[in-house]
Amino acid sequence: MVDQANNSTVDRRVAASPRPRVSIVLVSGGMDSCVTAAIASQDYVLAFLHVSYGQKTEERERKAFNDIADHYGVKQRLEISIEHLAKIGGSSLTDEKTEVSEASLASKEIPTSYVPFRNANMLSIAVSWAEVIRASAIYIGAVAEDSSGYPDCRPEFYDAFQKAIDAGTKPDTHIELRTPVIHMSKAEIVRRGIELDAPLNLTWSCYRSETLACGTCDSCALRLRGFQQAGVNDPIPYAN
């Protein structure tokens, strides 16, 4: 005979148990987003979002995304393509006729790899998904060290976007936009990743190649400098 009273007590306990705190992490497959995921994993159940936009290394980045997701046992994964950014153009990452420029880390000019307003497009998708799955935070691995070239990596951009989230979502929606590595140098990100046992060997940063990282584009150069300054060998293969 079923004990209805005990079942009722269990039902009430289940109903009263708090929902797990879920955070969406935008994961490109690169080092910064991987370390950001490692940081988020300390406090949240993770949901991973990967956004392709017609970039030249799209397939390799998608593999890195899934490898990192497998490492963390992420069950909720969303892969979105926003190829309109490639159709709009304006970036060497999406235009086959435009070469990805050689690294110039001292330059203050916006590099050809800048994809106009890309991060705003990605964050808008993340906010929509966050409302549906009731995520309480969105993590993105933006780094201000890149901001001399990429306007949408600056802290003030994310402050402004937080206000847009607050104004543009339902009254009972509370989503915090988090940028935990934004003030870190690449070397500090490497060290933090090692501290958290982040799978840096699974990441991919190269703008040009999907087999061996070129070692000379802006992204490779920033990454290599970070590992060098951290006194650690980069675990991924390079052509140069």
Side-chain angles (χ1 to χ4, degrees):
M1 183 174 178
V2 176
D3 188 336
Q4 297 291 342
N6 285 343
N7 274 354
S8 177
T9 299
V10 171
D11 289 343
R12 284 197 299 271
R13 287 175 181 171
V14 170
S17 63
R19 287 171 56 88
R21 296 205 310 163
V22 176
S23 174
I24 292 172
V25 185
L26 282 91
V27 178
S28 66
M31 179 178 72
D32 301 336
S33 63
C34 177
V35 175
T36 296
I39 294 169
S41 70
Q42 296 180 298
D43 299 308
Y44 290 91
V45 173
L46 303 180
F48 274 15
L49 171 63
H50 180 73
V51 183
S52 297
Y53 48 93
Q55 69 272 36
K56 293 174 179 176
T57 54
E58 181 175 339
E59 290 185 12
R60 185 62 184 84
E61 290 180 23
R62 185 180 297 114
K63 180 183 184 308
F65 162 77
N66 281 301
D67 287 346
I68 297 166
D70 288 344
H71 176 86
Y72 286 107
V74 176
K75 295 180 179 179
Q76 292 191 87
R77 308 180 193 185
L78 180 61
E79 298 180 30
I80 296 288
S81 177
I82 50 173
E83 293 183 358
H84 62 271
L85 289 183
K87 294 179 180 178
I88 289 170
S91 171
S92 61
L93 298 193
T94 58
D95 186 351
E96 292 295 335
K97 297 179 181 179
T98 304
E99 290 287 333
V100 175
S101 59
E102 293 290 295
S104 179
L105 300 185
S107 174
K108 298 300 181 183
E109 298 296 321
I110 296 176
T112 63
S113 56
Y114 169 62
V115 181
F117 218 49
R118 178 188 62 182
N119 288 350
N121 283 261
M122 293 180 173
L123 286 171
S124 294
I125 295 168
V127 173
S128 294
W129 193 30
E131 278 213 286
V132 172
I133 68 173
R134 296 177 64 183
S136 56
I138 295 171
Y139 280 74
I140 184 170
V143 181
E145 185 175 73
D146 298 337
S147 66
S148 60
Y150 294 170
D152 55 358
C153 284
R154 296 175 298 171
E156 52 264 42
F157 168 77
Y158 294 96
D159 291 341
F161 209 95
Q162 180 67 67
K163 293 178 181 178
I165 293 171
D166 296 340
T169 54
K170 295 183 296 185
D172 61 343
T173 296
H174 302 285
I175 303 168
E176 184 178 354
L177 183 55
R178 297 192 172 184
T179 55
V181 301
I182 199 163
H183 295 297
M184 292 185 188
S185 68
K186 292 292 186 181
E188 289 170 331
I189 292 171
V190 170
R191 295 189 190 102
R192 185 67 172 135
I194 292 170
E195 288 173 4
L196 297 174
D197 200 23
L200 299 178
N201 60 304
L202 301 179
T203 63
W204 195 256
S205 303
C206 185
Y207 287 157
R208 287 198 182 104
S209 173
E210 294 188 304
T211 52
L212 294 175
C214 73
T216 59
C217 67
D218 275 336
S219 184
C220 280
L222 282 166
R223 176 182 175 128
L224 283 168
R225 185 175 69 179
F227 273 93
Q228 182 182 36
Q229 291 176 345
V232 180
N233 289 328
D234 190 338
I236 71 169
Y238 284 87
N240 299 303

